[in-house]
Amino acid sequence: MATGAGKTLVMAAIVLFLYQQGYRYFLFLVHQIQILNQACKNFTDYKFDKYLFNPKGIKIDGKAVSIIDTKNIDQANHNSIHFLFFSTQALYSRLREDRENELTAQSFKEKKVVIIADEAHRLNVDTRSKKKTEQEEANNWESVVMGAVHAHQENKLLEFTATVDLAHLAIREKYQDKIIYRYDFLAFNKAGYSKEVKFLYNPETHIEDQKRLLIVNAVALSEYRRLFAEREMGFSIQPVVLIKSSSISQSEADRAFFDQVISSLQPQDLKHLQTLAQGNQGGEHRIITQMFAWLENKQNGLISAGDWNGLNRFTSEIRHRFAHDHTLIYNSQKKENPEQLLRLDSDRNTIRAIFSVNALNEGWDVLSLYDIVHFDISDSKQVSLQDIQLIGRGARYYPFELPKTYLKNKGGILQGSNRLFAQSKFQRKFDNNPHDRGRILETLFYHFVKTGIFLENLQKELLGEGIIHEGVEEKTIHLKDSFKQSNTYQKGFVLVNRAVQRTKTQDSEIDTTFKQVIKAGAYRLKSAGLSDYAQNQIIAETRQTKISITEEYFSLPIIRTALISAEGNFFRISNLKKHIIGIETIDTLIYQYLPLYEIQYSYEKGKEIENLNPREKLQLLRGMILPEIRKAIDLNMPQVIGSKVFRPVPLSHIFSQEKSIYLTSFPTEDPITGEKIYISSDERAKAQSDHENPELQYEISKADWYAYSENYGTSEEKRFVKYVAGQINGLRDKFAGAEIYLIRNELDYWLFNPQDGRRFSPDYLLFINDVLNETFYYQCFIEPKGGHLLEHDAWKEQALISLNEGSKVIFDSEPEDRENYRAYLAEIKQRGYQEIKPIGLKFYNSAPRGEEDFALDFQEKL
């Protein structure tokens, strides 16, 4: 799995899963001590920011499960999860030489153990070796670990790594039948979960004070990033700069030089960066240009009398933020404040620069690393595996949410700011708008002096790993002149809804939420270690009965206690009022709503509901029944919904006359030669007009009903466009004299789901505008959808279909509306349309549904 893809989360999930299978001992194995310390905190310290489990406690099947950090597996609490943390060297020593009251090789024979190996490529010591004596193999710690695994037939070894060397024949043979899942950095990058990597280098080796320039460039970008996040994005971050020295001895000298540069920093030291910004003809240094423009904008609070460009204040901030006390050195010989490494992403962090050599290439868990400075300025420097590992580690994304201030106010109604809100907080926001100044918060800079072929080799290696892509391919489309001259573009409008608080609870919502069946049991069946006969016996003896959440089965104190303690205060009345509108007291939930559930209670002999003690009944409610009720309330009674009330906004304000589609190209394998080539494999890189596939090809330029000059859609979208081409004459006969236009929505327009308020961007809008008589104006929402997404995006289809019942269009102004928008609403109202209507259609899908399914819906509604 790629660095930062969530290996430790997967480990934690596996621990809980295997606990249910009867495992109690989990030995965590790492190569480096600092990784071990962090892993220990991740898994056992509930006060730690990155603790992996619920800080309030783990509950499995309604039972509390404690976590124990131990060094021995001979003594145990059978209901607990036991973690043992070892470095590979420590485990090797322990298993080679028995000690009293400590872990021994014998321990692995007596108890079944799960060994979780992080950075597992380190395990392949003797697998790589082609020549080894029997004695060498016996003494090799890989052999010792494998001996422990094989000591008990139910012991397990689970390996996790970001860098398995499958190019090595022996390793490939070892793992070809063992890899469970592969999620490399290429997949990670494609999904938008990494930073963009850029290079900022000094191209002339004869420039004086090379290292000084590298330092100034890095700290300036870092501090600009911090200020930008705080003042424009509204969140606090302390971006980290890592200075990679060529040797441990040099690291100390580099830190002293860094302190000297920072303490003497003045505005004139930024002259080199300003020169790059001024000569930015090809846009290569766009972020630097944006930085200086941002600093001298008085709205950002750095300008004062005598400091017209804000650089005096800016360099003062850098001197303060990067002072000696805000830096540390970390290498194999000197580790200053190692605990600080675990807190770099915390709001309380003050460390801004770290000096290291290779000690942090593996296992270092940090998201706020944004600048890496390579201090080796020699002509002979080579790209190493450590360089790639470190860049991959720094390329992990720092999650943040765009604030509402990043929305543009269009005609008095807030609309998404042209493609900015397409992703979640954990994914890149600006792939479709890479020139936005916010890109600084998702860009990692690698700073170095360009010597020899270092840059070319570095790019080649990073491309091969998928950490960078070949570049951004830009496709430009524009609105056709004929469409811009149309009534629909010049006078037409787009119907817009918004997210609103639910104001009342419908009887249908009560029925859907509470008149349900919930399956529950006192204990879940444990099959590990049982024979088929024993399992069948238990299953045969399991009984089922119907119960309800009433005082007949649960006493009132137990019900109230469960509601107070379950699901993190979800069932407190203050929160329930936001979901069940109109509920006044918890008694309404207890006496009116909860009894509506039918509970199918499964039990073994002796665990009849009447035989359960109060603690067991409390666990049954809290651990199995109330979590299902919470899911039902969240799903069917959300706090926010999309309004079915729409207001018109000028169409020309929503859809740009010209827009760019940005497509990244990634490494792929030539099917004929087997060589890696770098192309955009995205179907959206292919124009429909000259597509090589006749099933998808259609000459868009001749389609006077298609608003844009070209269609770079998915294959399903291209099939849909060809479908409309076959229907357009029928539509023109049906709506004689009307203008009919299909517009591809490149995340310009957003719709709020009437069911739960979720926001999405329908792929196409079809407008039917009666320009002759102005009697009707239809806005149709259409989503072509590949078969693999039908189930995942079913909620979107339901949202579109629901628009056909109960939607209405109003022209009422609101207090926050601008004056020109108030006038616009009055103008549209006076035009006298008898019917203005949003129409939602089912998904277009060619397979497995087949086009006929959409065609029937299309014919029925249009």
Side-chain angles (χ1 to χ4, degrees):
M1 295 175 67
T3 298
K7 289 194 293 289
T8 51
L9 282 173
V10 176
M11 292 173 189
I14 287 174
V15 167
L16 297 179
F17 171 75
L18 290 179
Y19 177 90
Q20 290 184 296
Q21 311 308 309
Y23 287 86
R24 297 294 181 267
Y25 302 100
F26 301 87
L27 191 151
F28 196 93
L29 186 64
V30 300
H31 181 67
Q32 295 178 323
I33 293 297
Q34 83 270 11
I35 304 176
L36 194 71
N37 296 333
Q38 174 153 329
C40 185
K41 286 181 173 290
N42 283 341
F43 285 97
T44 65
D45 185 356
Y46 71 92
K47 296 180 181 178
F48 185 48
D49 290 343
K50 296 179 180 179
Y51 181 59
L52 292 163
F53 302 108
N54 186 348
K56 296 181 180 179
I58 300 173
K59 290 181 181 176
I60 297 178
D61 298 339
K63 289 183 178 181
V65 177
S66 59
I67 289 180
I68 297 175
D69 179 7
T70 183
K71 294 297 181 184
N72 198 338
I73 63 177
D74 293 331
Q75 298 177 350
N77 179 336
H78 188 67
N79 292 323
S80 300
I81 294 172
H82 302 80
F83 281 113
L84 299 89
F85 296 93
F86 281 91
S87 68
T88 49
Q89 185 59 46
L91 181 64
Y92 172 78
S93 300
R94 189 70 55 85
L95 297 184
R96 293 290 296 166
E97 182 180 345
D98 290 350
R99 299 177 188 176
E100 189 175 357
N101 295 323
E102 291 191 4
L103 185 71
T104 66
Q106 184 66 27
S107 303
F108 290 90
K109 297 179 181 179
E110 298 171 350
K111 302 281 177 64
K112 58 182 186 181
V113 180
V114 179
I115 298 177
I116 298 176
D118 195 17
E119 306 295 349
H121 54 280
R122 298 281 187 171
L123 284 178
N124 296 309
V125 177
D126 68 347
T127 300
R128 284 181 178 276
S129 176
K130 294 186 180 294
K131 295 180 181 179
K132 51 182 181 290
T133 66
E134 290 184 10
Q135 184 62 39
E136 287 173 335
E137 182 169 347
N139 290 333
N140 185 274
W141 61 262
E142 180 185 355
S143 300
V144 172
V145 170
M146 296 310 298
V149 173
H150 294 138
H152 189 294
Q153 64 178 0
E154 292 190 71
N155 285 352
K156 295 184 183 298
L157 171 63
L158 301 172
E159 302 185 21
F160 292 80
T161 180
T163 53
V164 61
D165 186 10
L166 294 176
H168 190 287
L169 178 60
I171 293 177
R172 185 165 69 250
E173 290 176 349
K174 174 182 177 180
Y175 285 112
Q176 63 183 354
D177 62 344
K178 296 181 180 66
I179 294 177
I180 297 169
Y181 196 83
R182 188 172 182 177
Y183 188 71
D184 57 17
F185 212 103
L186 176 59
F188 194 59
N189 190 350
K190 280 185 174 181
Y193 291 111
S194 65
K195 300 185 185 94
E196 181 183 26
V197 176
K198 283 186 175 293
F199 307 106
L200 187 59
Y201 53 87
N202 300 341
E204 302 173 37
T205 55
H206 63 270
I207 294 179
E208 194 174 349
D209 291 337
Q210 292 279 9
K211 288 188 174 182
R212 184 182 185 90
L213 282 178
L214 294 177
I215 291 170
V216 172
N217 293 351
V219 298
L221 284 166
S222 181
E223 185 58 13
Y224 163 54
R225 192 179 284 108
R226 183 192 73 80
L227 291 168
F228 181 84
E230 176 186 276
R231 303 188 182 190
E232 189 147 351
M233 292 296 194
F235 71 92
S236 176
I237 184 177
Q238 303 296 327
V240 174
V241 177
L242 184 134
I243 293 90
K244 180 179 169 67
S245 300
S246 56
S247 66
I248 292 174
S249 59
Q250 185 63 42
S251 191
E252 289 276 9
D254 287 340
R255 189 190 192 187
F257 180 68
F258 180 90
D259 289 343
Q260 177 188 337
V261 172
I262 295 301
S263 62
S264 62
L265 191 70
Q266 298 296 325
Q268 54 265 31
D269 291 312
L270 301 176
K271 187 174 181 180
H272 178 68
L273 273 179
Q274 287 178 305
T275 302
L276 289 179
Q278 292 165 359
N280 187 29
Q281 300 299 325
E284 181 182 3
H285 301 300
R286 190 183 304 274
I287 286 179
I288 299 173
T289 304
Q290 291 170 338
M291 178 182 78
F292 286 107
W294 190 88
L295 293 173
E296 63 185 42
N297 186 334
K298 63 181 180 181
Q299 293 181 346
N300 297 318
L302 295 175
I303 294 177
S304 61
D307 187 16
W308 64 270
N309 57 9
L311 295 185
N312 284 325
R313 174 71 180 277
F314 184 54
T315 50
S316 174
E317 288 285 345
I318 294 174
R319 290 195 299 272
H320 168 65
R321 300 283 176 173
F322 286 89
H324 181 84
D325 290 344
H326 297 159
T327 69
L328 62 84
I329 192 166
Y330 191 96
N331 56 51
S332 58
Q333 295 181 6
K334 184 174 183 179
K335 296 178 173 60
E336 286 185 357
N337 301 319
E339 290 295 311
Q340 287 286 83
L341 289 176
L342 307 181
R343 297 193 290 267
L344 292 175
D345 292 332
S346 166
D347 290 342
R348 299 183 296 276
N349 171 53
T350 60
I351 299 298
R352 295 294 299 279
I354 298 172
F355 297 82
S356 185
V357 183
N358 287 325
L360 296 175
N361 296 330
E362 293 182 352
W364 184 29
D365 187 13
V366 63
L367 303 176
S368 52
L369 176 60
Y370 277 93
D371 294 274
I372 299 174
V373 181
H374 195 304
F375 255 0
D376 186 351
I377 62 175
S378 65
D379 291 338
S380 59
K381 69 172 180 285
Q382 301 293 320
V383 177
S384 67
L385 175 62
Q386 288 78 17
D387 293 321
I388 306 305
Q389 287 178 320
L390 186 58
I391 294 174
R393 189 156 296 281
R396 293 191 297 171
Y397 195 76
Y398 187 95
F400 66 95
E401 292 180 341
L402 292 172
K404 291 183 179 179
T405 52
Y406 237 74
L407 290 169
K408 292 181 180 179
N409 194 313
K410 295 189 175 186
I413 292 181
L414 288 177
Q415 283 288 308
S417 177
N418 283 352
R419 307 173 290 278
L420 292 184
F421 278 73
Q423 305 289 357
S424 75
K425 66 183 290 186
F426 301 101
Q427 292 173 286
R428 292 191 299 270
K429 316 289 187 297
F430 304 101
D431 278 5
N432 291 314
N433 198 4
H435 302 324
D436 190 283
R437 62 180 182 271
R439 192 68 161 183
I440 183 66
L441 295 176
E442 46 192 40
T443 302
L444 168 78
F445 278 96
Y446 194 72
H447 306 259
F448 59 97
V449 176
K450 184 182 179 183
T451 58
I453 58 172
F454 178 79
L455 174 60
E456 291 78 4
N457 288 339
L458 181 63
Q459 288 176 317
K460 180 179 178 181
E461 292 295 330
L462 293 174
L463 279 165
E465 292 293 326
I467 294 173
I468 65 172
H469 41 261
E470 186 72 16
V472 176
E473 187 177 356
E474 182 178 0
K475 302 288 188 182
T476 302
I477 59 176
H478 57 267
L479 292 175
K480 295 174 180 173
D481 290 338
S482 58
F483 176 68
K484 288 188 291 184
Q485 295 166 8
S486 70
N487 178 286
T488 302
Y489 178 77
Q490 296 182 0
K491 296 184 179 181
F493 46 84
V494 178
L495 301 176
V496 175
N497 76 336
R498 68 179 70 192
V500 296
Q501 295 287 332
R502 283 173 63 247
T503 56
K504 64 180 180 179
T505 296
Q506 307 282 354
D507 289 342
S508 59
E509 293 174 328
I510 295 293
D511 291 345
T512 303
T513 304
F514 296 106
K515 290 184 178 180
Q516 289 192 22
V517 175
I518 294 177
K519 295 181 179 181
Y523 301 100
R524 288 183 183 165
L525 200 59
K526 301 292 190 303
S527 61
L530 297 179
S531 66
D532 291 342
Y533 175 80
Q535 291 183 44
N536 292 335
Q537 284 293 104
I538 292 175
I539 293 171
E541 293 173 3
T542 301
R543 300 288 182 265
Q544 189 178 87
T545 188
K546 294 178 182 179
I547 64 174
S548 58
I549 311 173
T550 62
E551 291 184 83
E552 178 182 354
Y553 302 100
F554 302 92
S555 70
L556 190 58
I558 289 177
I559 295 175
R560 291 189 183 277
T561 301
L563 289 171
I564 289 172
S565 58
E567 297 297 295
N569 295 327
F570 180 85
F571 291 100
R572 299 296 178 102
I573 190 63
S574 58
N575 183 64
L576 287 176
K577 284 182 176 181
K578 300 174 184 177
H579 292 271
I580 309 173
I581 310 302
I583 190 172
E584 294 296 333
T585 70
I586 201 70
D587 287 344
T588 304
L589 178 70
I590 293 173
Y591 294 112
Q592 186 173 335
Y593 297 142
L594 293 184
L596 297 175
Y597 282 106
E598 176 187 305
I599 313 298
Q600 291 184 356
Y601 174 64
S602 300
Y603 61 94
E604 302 165 29
K605 186 176 180 180
K607 293 300 180 181
E608 294 82 358
I609 191 68
E610 60 270 16
N611 291 339
L612 297 183
N613 62 42
R615 181 178 180 80
E616 290 174 317
K617 289 187 175 183
L618 180 62
Q619 289 176 342
L620 182 63
L621 281 173
R622 193 166 53 188
M624 301 195 72
I625 296 175
L626 289 179
E628 295 302 314
I629 294 175
R630 175 190 176 154
K631 291 178 187 176
I633 294 175
D634 269 335
L635 178 64
N636 301 306
M637 294 181 164
Q639 296 182 28
V640 175
I641 60 173
S643 173
K644 283 195 173 183
V645 174
F646 289 79
R647 295 200 298 170
V649 174
L651 185 145
S652 57
H653 288 194
I654 299 294
F655 297 103
S656 305
Q657 291 195 25
E658 182 176 284
K659 59 174 55 175
S660 294
I661 302 166
Y662 297 94
L663 300 156
T664 55
S665 51
F666 290 91
T668 187
E669 187 175 285
D670 189 305
I672 299 175
T673 66
E675 295 180 355
K676 282 188 176 179
I677 55 176
Y678 304 98
I679 61 172
S680 176
S681 57
D682 196 335
E683 171 64 34
R684 297 199 65 203
K686 302 174 182 178
Q688 185 162 14
S689 294
D690 55 3
H691 204 286
E692 72 274 10
N693 184 349
E695 293 183 7
L696 303 179
Q697 192 276 332
Y698 183 79
E699 197 166 353
I700 294 295
S701 61
K702 294 184 178 179
D704 56 359
W705 45 269
Y706 195 85
Y708 278 104
S709 57
E710 189 52 83
N711 178 30
Y712 288 100
T714 65
S715 58
E716 205 70 357
E717 289 168 4
K718 286 165 181 160
R719 288 189 176 93
F720 163 70
V721 169
K722 289 194 73 171
Y723 172 83
V724 175
Q727 301 296 316
I728 195 69
N729 289 335
L731 289 175
R732 285 173 171 167
D733 290 341
K734 170 73 174 176
F735 304 105
E739 289 185 348
I740 302 175
Y741 288 104
L742 182 66
I743 303 180
R744 175 69 169 93
N745 178 27
E746 295 285 351
L747 303 180
D748 292 318
Y749 172 86
W750 299 89
L751 181 70
F752 292 94
N753 182 6
Q755 276 68 51
D756 56 19
R758 278 187 283 180
R759 188 167 170 266
F760 70 104
S761 184
D763 291 329
Y764 286 91
L765 274 68
L766 177 68
F767 292 91
I768 304 176
N769 175 19
D770 179 18
V771 295
L772 294 180
N773 305 307
E774 293 190 337
T775 56
F776 57 84
Y777 192 100
Y778 301 138
Q779 174 177 312
C780 309
F781 302 94
I782 306 172
E783 280 251 326
K785 193 68 62 178
H788 63 293
L789 292 173
L790 288 176
E791 183 177 352
H792 180 269
D793 286 350
W795 66 274
K796 295 182 182 179
E797 183 173 44
Q798 185 56 43
L800 296 179
I801 293 172
S802 71
L803 298 178
N804 300 301
E805 297 293 335
S807 294
K808 64 178 181 178
V809 179
I810 65 170
F811 306 92
D812 301 332
S813 60
E814 297 179 354
E816 65 269 23
D817 289 336
R818 296 176 181 176
E819 189 59 39
N820 60 344
Y821 183 59
R822 293 170 183 264
Y824 176 77
L825 290 174
E827 175 193 338
I828 296 298
K829 188 175 183 178
Q830 290 174 2
R831 288 168 65 178
Y833 280 105
Q834 297 174 23
E835 186 178 37
I836 301 177
K837 186 177 179 180
I839 300 174
L841 284 87
K842 296 175 68 174
F843 284 163
Y844 173 91
N845 172 254
S846 59
R849 282 188 185 178
E851 193 176 75
E852 297 79 7
D853 185 72
F854 173 81
L856 290 172
D857 195 49
F858 186 87
Q859 295 297 330
E860 178 185 342
K861 290 174 180 168
L862 295 182

